[in-house]
């Protein structure tokens, strides 16, 4: 009767948690007898993320073999996988092959998929080939295919690059494939993405640019495409320009400035821009704006991170009703978003041992891994693969959002943001 209570299940968990140190078998047994789902999940997760999980996981696996209740199997598998995030592999527990065979026979695709992911972590020889097969098989449920690809990426499997390139032709898993390529230190990635770029949808293009901007060699190839006009310079957003700048390569930074402009204008330049826009965007000018066109600009430039009228991402704060009718407040936040940055929205720059560089918000950290939210995806990085980690004073919202917008686009965006109700997107 307490399952839906906001506090009591957690109070029970706080009472149960110390048992991991005092009586591990009893602690694990509670996962298979407790009626509160949160207890089932948290026990499995707590064991998996502990410093010495092998003995506990062996007990959990053994208990999974005795459980026939699908919801409990769901909760324990979810907890194990959450606790093991960031691990590439670990010793296979005794009894796992028999438990795995039992889980695979269940007519529940989620349980089957979770068991696959776990088998991969245990280096089960049958799992790698099956996951690759499922990810590529268009007759398999889309959610299961996506989980299979995610599991292969988390494993760092050798076949991820070839599989991801193949999935670039798949309308359903293309975005997942583009992001998966970011984890592969393969020189052919830039060619694979640039060759298909014109066929990508808008969100897929954003993902492709962010992927290309995560390694210097790929970034150079992307800038070649912009300079040769294979790609339109209007595709280069403030997010990608800043990611390119974060690579720390001065030659690339010079090329970005030549193509796009300064990633961080001086305080004087910002003040000049704010004053210029304030004088130009009079009530009469804003009254003539196309709010639907402004929403289209918002969708392209802002919606990845911000929610407005219940639409958009949740990386940055929901800006519905956030003093947007005050033109000074609006312009200052658009032009100088890093002037005052709350701790929750302060970025970190992570460089991995393989040379991949990503910037974003650290939203979770365990003894094994940190989880980084970028403008386009959530990335789990094992701590032993982090080479450089730096705190940034900058907001995740980049400067220069208005740099490549026309005067009409700026007018329409400001009018849309300062409006008081949602409007439809343009018909086209």
């Amino acid at each position: 009767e307490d399952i839906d209570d906001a506090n009591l299940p957690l109070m029970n968990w706080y009472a149960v948690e110390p048992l991991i140190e005092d009586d591990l078998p009893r602690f694990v047994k509670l996962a298979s007898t407790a009626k509160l789902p949160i207890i089932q999940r948290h026990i499995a997760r707590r064991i998996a993320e502990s410093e010495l999980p092998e003995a506990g996981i062996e007990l959990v696996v053994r208990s999974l073999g005795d459980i026939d209740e699908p919801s409990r199997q769901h909760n324990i598998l979810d907890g194990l996988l959450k606790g093991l995030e960031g691990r590439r592999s670990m010793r296979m527990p005794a009894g796992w092959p028999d438990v795995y065979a039992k889980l695979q026979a269940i007519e529940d695709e989620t349980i089957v998929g979770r068991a696959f992911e776990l088998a991969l972590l245990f280096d089960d020889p049958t799992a790698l080939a099956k996951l690759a097969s499922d990810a590529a098989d268009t007759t398999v449920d889309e959610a299961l295919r996506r989980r299979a690809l995610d599991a292969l990426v988390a494993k760092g499997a050798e076949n991820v690059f070839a599989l991801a390139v193949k999935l670039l032709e798949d309308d359903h898993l293309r975005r997942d494939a583009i992001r998966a390529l970011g984890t592969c230190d393969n020189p052919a990635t830039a060619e694979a993405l640039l060759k298909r770029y014109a066929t990508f949808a808008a969100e897929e293009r954003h993902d492709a640019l962010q992927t290309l901007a995560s390694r210097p060699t790929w970034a150079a190839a992307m800038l070649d495409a912009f300079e040769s006009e294979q790609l339109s310079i209007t595709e280069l957003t403030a997010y990608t320009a800043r990611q390119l700048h974060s690579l720390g390569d001065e030659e690339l930074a010079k090329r970005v400035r030549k193509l796009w402009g300064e990633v961080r204008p001086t305080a004087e330049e910002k003040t000049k821009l704010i004053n210029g826009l304030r004088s130009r965007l009079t009530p009469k000018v804003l009254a003539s704006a196309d709010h639907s066109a402004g929403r289209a600009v918002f969708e392209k430039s802002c919606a990845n991170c911000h929610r407005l009228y219940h639409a958009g991402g949740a990386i940055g704060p929901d800006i519905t009703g956030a003093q947007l009718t005050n033109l000074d407040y609006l312009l200052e936040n658009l032009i100088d978003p890093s002037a005052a940055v709350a701790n929750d929205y302060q970025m970190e720059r992570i460089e991995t041992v393989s040379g991949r560089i990503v910037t974003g918000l650290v939203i979770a950290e365990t003894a094994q891994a940190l989880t980084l939210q970028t403008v386009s995806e959530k990335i789990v990085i094992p701590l032993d693969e982090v080479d450089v980690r730096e705190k940034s004073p900058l907001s995740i919202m980049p400067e220069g959002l208005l740099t490549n917008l026309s005067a009409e686009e700026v007018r329409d965006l400001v009018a849309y943001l300062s409006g008081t109700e949602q409007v439809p997107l343009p018909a086209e």
Side-chain angles (χ1 to χ4, degrees):
E1 67 270 21
D2 295 332
I3 283 177
D4 296 322
D5 189 275
N7 301 306
L8 290 176
L10 285 171
M11 297 302 291
N12 278 278
W13 165 242
Y14 299 147
V16 165
E17 193 274 338
L19 276 175
I20 191 172
E21 303 291 345
D22 300 332
D23 192 341
L24 185 60
R26 183 181 172 202
F27 184 64
V28 173
K29 186 178 180 181
L30 281 171
S32 56
T33 59
K35 294 182 179 180
L36 293 170
I38 197 171
I39 302 291
Q40 301 162 19
R41 287 193 301 270
H42 281 14
I43 285 174
R45 191 200 70 192
R46 178 69 179 86
I47 288 172
E49 68 184 13
S50 65
E51 292 184 4
L52 297 170
E54 285 81 3
I57 287 179
E58 192 161 309
L59 290 171
V60 173
V61 166
R62 194 182 305 162
S63 72
L64 269 173
D66 298 329
I67 295 170
D68 295 312
E69 186 183 340
S71 63
R72 195 178 296 272
Q73 292 166 330
H74 271 283
N75 291 330
I76 292 175
L77 287 168
D78 283 348
L80 281 174
L81 288 168
K82 184 66 177 176
L84 291 169
E85 272 189 351
R87 290 181 183 266
R88 300 294 190 196
S89 65
M90 66 179 302
R91 181 178 61 83
M92 183 187 294
W96 168 252
D98 291 338
V99 173
Y100 183 43
K102 174 183 176 178
L103 295 173
Q104 290 302 292
I106 296 172
E107 293 184 3
D108 184 315
E109 290 182 343
T110 302
I111 289 177
V112 170
R114 294 287 189 264
F116 270 141
E117 294 176 47
L118 207 51
L120 195 63
L121 282 165
F122 294 153
D123 293 321
D124 190 315
T126 63
L128 189 62
K130 185 69 170 74
L131 282 171
S133 172
D134 281 350
D137 187 349
T138 56
T139 65
V140 172
D141 177 75
E142 183 180 325
L144 185 56
R145 294 179 66 204
R146 183 168 286 111
R147 285 198 298 271
L149 178 60
D150 288 344
L152 289 167
V153 170
K155 176 68 177 176
E158 292 182 2
N159 61 341
V160 166
F161 176 77
L163 177 62
V165 170
K166 180 179 180 181
L167 291 176
L168 290 177
E169 311 301 331
D170 188 309
D171 291 342
H172 300 289
L173 262 69
R174 186 175 294 119
R175 290 193 74 187
D176 304 88
I178 292 169
R179 295 169 179 176
L181 285 173
T183 68
C184 307
D185 186 13
N186 192 308
T189 293
E191 180 185 358
L193 291 175
L194 291 170
K195 183 170 68 174
R196 297 167 175 82
Y197 186 85
T199 67
F200 292 165
E203 290 181 334
E204 295 163 354
R205 291 183 177 193
H206 175 79
D207 288 340
L209 293 182
Q210 288 297 112
T211 293
L212 290 170
S214 66
R215 297 179 190 267
T217 53
W218 302 349
M222 177 175 63
L223 291 175
D224 288 344
F226 279 119
E227 289 166 351
S228 66
E229 298 185 357
Q230 175 188 345
L231 301 184
S232 169
I233 191 60
T234 59
E235 300 279 332
L236 183 55
T237 67
Y239 292 104
T240 304
R242 184 175 63 185
Q243 174 63 29
L244 288 166
H245 191 73
S246 74
L247 295 177
D249 185 308
E250 185 51 38
E251 184 57 37
L252 291 177
K254 287 179 182 177
R255 294 174 68 183
V256 173
R257 285 194 290 271
K258 185 176 180 182
L259 281 167
W260 193 83
E262 285 292 343
V263 175
R264 289 208 71 192
T266 65
E268 184 180 340
E269 290 169 332
K270 293 173 193 172
T271 300
K272 184 177 179 181
L273 183 55
I274 289 171
N275 290 337
L277 288 171
R278 184 188 294 116
S279 63
R280 192 164 75 242
L281 297 173
T282 63
K284 182 178 179 180
V285 168
L286 290 176
S288 68
D290 183 337
H291 286 232
S292 290
R295 182 181 174 187
V297 177
F298 176 84
E299 292 286 327
K300 177 181 177 181
S301 302
C302 316
N304 264 0
C305 294
H306 289 293
R307 291 181 69 78
L308 182 61
Y309 305 123
H310 310 294
I315 299 171
D318 187 327
I319 57 175
T320 307
Q323 301 185 54
L324 298 186
T325 54
N326 182 327
L327 182 61
D328 287 340
Y329 173 87
L330 181 55
L331 292 177
E332 286 167 7
N333 279 273
L334 284 170
I335 304 302
D336 195 8
S338 296
V341 187
N343 288 336
D344 288 346
Y345 299 106
Q346 216 168 32
M347 292 196 310
E348 292 197 31
R349 176 185 180 274
I350 308 296
E351 183 173 348
T352 68
V353 292
S354 72
R356 186 185 188 194
I357 298 171
V358 289
T359 56
L361 305 177
V362 174
I363 57 174
E365 185 170 353
T366 67
Q368 290 81 38
L370 59 85
T371 303
L372 197 73
Q373 176 67 64
T374 73
V375 295
S376 57
E377 62 180 318
K378 189 181 294 182
I379 303 173
V380 178
I381 305 174
L383 286 177
D384 60 6
E385 295 181 14
V386 174
D387 188 34
V388 178
R389 179 178 179 180
E390 300 171 332
K391 194 84 171 177
S392 169
L394 302 179
S395 164
I396 193 168
M397 179 175 170
E399 296 173 9
L401 278 171
L402 308 183
T403 297
N404 280 342
L405 300 184
S406 67
E408 290 75 18
E409 287 174 322
V410 172
R411 176 202 64 192
D412 294 342
L413 174 63
V414 170
Y416 169 67
L417 288 172
S418 58
T420 56
E421 61 183 6
Q422 184 62 286
V423 297
L425 285 163
E428 65 271 19

